[in-house]
Amino acid sequence: MQDRTSIINEINQLKKEKNAVILAHNYQRKEIQDIADFLGDSLGLSQEAVNQDADVIVFCGVDFMAESAAILSPEKTVLLPEKEAECPMAAMVDVDSLRQKKKEHPNAAVVCYVNTSAAVKAECDICCTSSNAVNIINSLKENDIIFVPDKNLAKYVSLNSTKNIIPWEGYCPTHHQILVGDILLMKEEHPNAEIIAHPECKEDVLDISDKVLSTTGMTNYAKSTNSKEMIIATETGILYRLKKENPDKIFYSGSEYAVCPNMKMTTLEGVLDSLKNMKHVISVPEEIRIKAMKSLERMLEVGRT
Ligand code: 13P
Ligand code: SF4
């Protein structure tokens, strides 16, 4: 078996030869976070891919993220090291059922969370992320909004908007492992800790949280807050980054069970294999790509106004 240092050396060598960059989501294994050129959230990484003067993007994350990068950077080769790294929440909505829902609500706008396939994005009016969902909804002229696929994010948005949100029944199985009872017990043990939750958490967890933030929102907030202790209600992988960037602060995981198996599929060996053998190339059929890009661009436009 090849040792870790020689794997990393080989990865770095191949990166130079192929003019590649490695992007990693905040939930990735720590050894993947350590070799990444950029760490970030679902959409931020795809935007980073656009800015890079690279021929190859190795996307250490899950399927829909690599697809977003391929939608926004069609001239680059986007690789997903693990073919099976799929987001179960994104798989909870498909084109046919969404078309049916649109027929039932012909006057509604359709908003999709970035955690959706390119084909579903192509069926929507506009995308959103966990950090801009409320702004996106409020920017729309329609009052009725079909929101896919996360029912928890939909609920959070509906509480922060006057719009009529028609939720989809999707959810993130990992964030559903985070239980309000466990967080309350932790708060009893650490009364000075702030509770920071991702909006994919269940409503009762969000209700008792001090802040509801995307993963990038969490990394920014952790640096700026005066709090010295935080209970982090999201996938546990982010704790590594939070601790590394804030050695003077203490972070508690909201649940040791909040581990996304799909995010953890990517290994150093997998990244090496991906670069060596140029796999797995993620591409989106042009007709779908153009439509999906409109949904993403409309979102980015709202962000600029
Ligand atoms: P963000 O990193 O965009 O907050 O999303 C979290 C997530 O669940 C990605 O799968
Ligand atoms: Fe999908 Fe949840 Fe895993 Fe993110 S943490 S990839 S939303 S299953």
Side-chain angles (χ1 to χ4, degrees):
M1 216 177 85
Q2 205 177 348
D3 67 66
R4 187 169 279 202
T5 314
S6 84
I7 295 177
I8 294 171
N9 289 344
E10 214 179 326
I11 288 173
N12 288 333
Q13 185 58 34
L14 283 164
K15 261 174 56 185
K16 271 192 212 135
E17 279 168 28
K18 304 200 172 186
N19 189 24
V21 290
I22 298 178
L23 307 182
H25 188 267
N26 293 317
Y27 298 159
Q28 289 288 295
R29 290 165 181 267
K30 52 182 189 257
E31 60 274 24
I32 298 295
Q33 296 194 26
D34 284 339
I35 57 153
D37 297 295
F38 296 96
L39 261 180
D41 64 15
S42 320
L43 186 77
L45 288 174
S46 303
Q47 289 178 284
E48 202 56 69
V50 174
N51 296 336
Q52 292 307 306
D53 183 21
D55 297 316
V56 178
I57 305 291
V58 183
F59 211 120
C60 302
V62 290
D63 53 354
F64 74 84
M65 298 178 184
E67 271 194 346
S68 296
I71 292 167
L72 293 171
S73 301
E75 73 295 351
K76 295 178 177 129
T77 302
V78 178
L79 302 175
L80 182 69
E82 293 306 320
K83 208 170 187 316
E84 273 87 47
E86 294 167 353
C87 168
M89 177 163 72
M92 288 177 191
V93 54
D94 63 82
V95 170
D96 288 344
S97 344
L98 180 55
R99 284 187 181 155
Q100 182 54 40
K101 190 66 124 187
K102 282 162 74 171
K103 270 195 201 140
E104 289 164 22
H105 303 277
N107 298 322
V110 185
V111 177
C112 64
Y113 190 23
V114 280
N115 298 40
T116 44
S117 67
V120 165
K121 286 186 178 77
E123 288 291 318
C124 296
D125 296 304
I126 188 164
C127 285
C128 73
T129 69
S130 48
S131 57
N132 64 17
V134 173
N135 281 351
I136 296 292
I137 301 290
N138 289 337
S139 77
L140 298 171
K141 64 177 190 319
E142 291 85 352
N143 190 48
D144 293 345
I145 315 276
I146 298 171
F147 190 95
V148 296
D150 186 6
K151 63 177 176 183
N152 296 310
L153 183 58
K155 182 73 193 182
Y156 174 71
V157 163
S158 72
L159 295 173
N160 289 282
S161 156
T162 55
K163 303 277 185 181
N164 175 35
I165 308 289
I166 303 156
W168 201 260
E169 273 304 303
Y171 63 93
C172 165
T174 299
H175 284 84
H176 270 221
Q177 300 294 337
I178 302 171
L179 305 179
V180 68
D182 290 346
I183 304 269
L184 288 172
L185 274 177
M186 222 174 283
K187 179 76 179 172
E188 257 177 50
E189 282 169 34
H190 310 287
N192 295 327
E194 270 190 279
I195 303 171
I196 320 287
H198 194 279
E200 288 175 20
C201 289
K202 288 194 267 192
E203 191 184 354
D204 52 3
V205 171
L206 298 184
D207 280 349
I208 57 150
S209 297
D210 298 299
K211 289 272 168 201
V212 176
L213 296 167
S214 68
T215 60
T216 292
M218 288 182 185
T219 57
N220 292 337
Y221 184 74
K223 284 181 194 155
S224 65
T225 179
N226 289 329
S227 299
K228 290 283 174 213
E229 289 177 85
M230 280 160 265
I231 297 166
I232 303 295
T234 193
E235 211 274 351
T236 57
I238 199 170
L239 274 282
Y240 178 67
R241 176 171 178 185
L242 289 170
K243 288 176 184 170
K244 200 172 165 182
E245 291 181 349
N246 305 277
D248 56 327
K249 298 183 180 176
I250 304 172
F251 299 94
Y252 309 102
S253 171
S255 169
E256 60 180 299
Y257 302 109
V259 178
C260 175
N262 307 283
M263 282 286 182
K264 300 296 189 268
M265 279 183 187
T266 310
T267 59
L268 284 177
E269 290 83 354
V271 172
L272 177 56
D273 188 34
S274 169
L275 270 166
K276 243 189 208 166
N277 299 306
M278 295 301 279
K279 66 185 199 187
H280 302 272
V281 176
I282 303 299
S283 59
V284 177
E286 190 59 9
E287 194 192 333
I288 291 179
R289 192 188 73 78
I290 298 289
K291 288 189 193 156
M293 195 163 72
K294 280 197 186 128
S295 294
L296 283 168
E297 277 177 344
R298 258 191 93 187
M299 169 185 76
L300 298 172
E301 202 46 52
V302 173
R304 280 191 277 271
T305 54

